[in-house]
Amino acid sequence: MALGDEIDKILVEFGESTVNDVRTNLDAAVSYGGQASRLSAKINYIPPRNVNGAIVLQVSMPEYGYILDQGRGAGNVSKEGIASIEKWIVRRGLKPKMSEARTKMSKDRKTAKPIKTQNREKAVKQFAFAIARKIQKKGHSQPYKDQKLGFWSKVINDGRLDELTKRISEVLKTEVIIEINDGISS
């Protein structure tokens, strides 16, 4: 077996096991009634390839996965972010409270007054804005604090990188440097 093929085999095993373990950790921590999460389906790896003389293996997931794993610092929330929060509110079926006067008016009537769609949309926008303001002021701490989610960090920091370095060093019979790039621009 050629040296490159042996290294590729080690890296493919590493990529597959890492992706499987991250997915397992995520699915165990976040339950969707027996279904795998959409995030879990998007965690993958790109097989090893040669880039400018270096062998690169990329294990990736969408950016929101890193935020779910680590939390987010305080800072501005973009308009796209607020729109995303609005979609999340609707998708989760959260019902923002309507103003008290509006609720009282509908309860005092003999027949229930249908709530106008426009008012529901306005309430969702206001609720999303309130969530965005909270994120802007305080950030977004790691969710599921009691469970210590860290589905990504637990896998990456469990010693598998040292094991990978050791296995590749044995094949090459030289020192190996592994560089981790989180792919998120700061």
Side-chain angles (χ1 to χ4, degrees):
M1 183 179 278
L3 191 63
D5 292 340
E6 207 168 326
I7 292 173
D8 284 352
K9 181 182 173 200
I10 292 170
L11 289 174
V12 166
E13 287 174 10
F14 174 81
E16 288 174 353
S17 69
T18 300
V19 167
N20 289 335
D21 291 348
V22 169
R23 285 178 178 167
T24 302
N25 278 359
L26 176 62
D27 293 340
V30 181
S31 173
Y32 290 100
Q35 284 182 285
S37 69
R38 285 187 231 157
L39 175 60
S40 180
K42 292 180 181 178
I43 298 170
N44 58 26
Y45 78 97
I46 297 172
R49 62 194 187 286
N50 191 335
V51 177
N52 297 330
I55 299 173
V56 176
L57 170 75
Q58 185 178 354
V59 179
S60 64
M61 70 178 163
E63 185 176 345
Y64 67 89
Y66 295 103
I67 294 170
L68 185 63
D69 184 60
Q70 299 292 321
R72 175 198 189 279
N76 290 336
V77 179
S78 67
K79 288 181 181 179
E80 294 84 19
I82 294 173
S84 178
I85 293 170
E86 288 175 16
K87 289 177 188 172
W88 174 77
I89 291 169
V90 172
R91 187 174 61 241
R92 292 287 304 261
L94 300 177
K95 296 181 180 169
K97 288 187 178 179
M98 305 296 277
S99 69
E100 238 177 86
R102 199 74 188 137
T103 308
K104 189 173 180 357
M105 272 179 31
S106 64
K107 283 183 181 177
D108 289 344
R109 293 178 164 253
K110 289 180 183 176
T111 58
K113 181 179 180 182
I115 296 174
K116 294 180 181 175
T117 310
Q118 182 181 14
N119 290 331
R120 165 83 175 136
E121 289 173 6
K122 186 176 180 181
V124 168
K125 283 183 184 274
Q126 290 172 339
F127 191 39
F129 182 77
I131 292 171
R133 285 286 303 260
K134 186 267 181 189
I135 292 172
Q136 180 183 14
K137 289 180 180 177
K138 297 184 179 181
H140 176 36
S141 63
Q142 180 186 19
Y144 311 103
K145 273 200 170 188
D146 296 338
Q147 296 176 16
K148 297 290 185 203
L149 194 59
F151 62 92
W152 176 264
S153 359
K154 282 180 185 175
V155 172
I156 295 300
N157 298 323
D158 69 354
R160 71 181 60 220
L161 292 174
D162 295 333
E163 179 65 28
L164 177 65
T165 304
K166 190 171 120 183
R167 286 182 65 195
I168 293 175
S169 294
E170 288 172 0
V171 170
L172 294 176
K173 296 181 175 44
T174 185
E175 187 178 340
V176 174
I177 299 172
I178 294 181
E179 182 180 318
I180 298 177
N181 181 356
D182 64 7
I184 300 175
S185 57
S186 299

